[in-house]
Amino acid sequence: MAESTNPDEVPPAPSTAPSMEQAMRRLRIDEDLQEDVQDAIPQAKAEAEAFLDGKLYADARAREDAQDPRGIVCTPDIIAAQLLLIDAIVHSNTDEGAEVKRTRAFGMLRRHRNQGV
C-alpha cells in the first residue's frame, strides 16, 4: 500500500482491536450486521488476550508506562487474527467453519503468546 503524500493527513492511531469500519470493510459484512460486529469486537479482543496470556497495548510506550512485563504490543497480524475471530463470531458458520477460523486465528497469535515465566 502506498503511503499518503498529504502532509495534513494524520496516520491512524495505534490500536489494540480492529475498528468497526475496518471489520466491516475487510470482512465484507453486510450493514445489517453492524450491531453484531460492534458486539463481537471486544469479544474477539478478549479471546485474543486470553490466548496470548497477556494484555494488549497499542505500542511499546503504553506497555512500558503500564509496567506490564507480560504485556504484548499489538501488531498488524494480531489485528488480523482478531478479524478472523470476529468473522467466526458474526457470520453464520457451521461449527466446523467457525472452528477452522478460530484455529487459524490462534495460529497467527501463537508466536506472540506468553508461555511460562
Side-chain angles (χ1 to χ4, degrees):
M1 180 189 302
E3 289 188 32
S4 173
T5 57
N6 181 349
D8 297 327
E9 188 174 311
V10 177
S15 177
T16 59
S19 68
M20 166 71 85
E21 295 77 22
Q22 187 178 26
M24 296 296 288
R25 179 178 38 84
R26 289 189 55 192
L27 298 175
R28 298 180 183 177
I29 295 177
D30 293 333
E31 292 287 324
D32 58 332
L33 294 174
Q34 191 166 354
E35 285 184 30
D36 294 337
V37 170
Q38 188 67 45
D39 292 342
I41 290 171
Q43 183 179 343
K45 181 182 175 194
E47 282 188 48
E49 287 182 331
F51 180 83
L52 292 168
D53 193 23
K55 181 174 170 34
L56 290 172
Y57 292 93
D59 55 33
R61 178 66 182 226
R63 183 181 62 190
E64 289 170 15
D65 290 347
Q67 298 180 352
D68 183 356
R70 295 186 63 81
I72 299 164
V73 175
C74 195
T75 58
D77 58 330
I78 292 174
I79 295 291
Q82 289 181 60
L83 286 166
L84 265 176
L85 291 169
I86 291 166
D87 195 24
I89 294 164
V90 172
H91 279 130
S92 55
N93 300 293
T94 63
D95 288 342
E96 183 178 308
E99 190 57 35
V100 166
K101 290 175 184 177
R102 279 194 161 78
T103 299
R104 288 182 180 159
F106 294 146
M108 293 170 73
L109 295 171
R110 185 165 280 112
R111 69 187 189 94
H112 298 284
R113 187 176 193 186
N114 283 316
Q115 297 186 7
V117 174

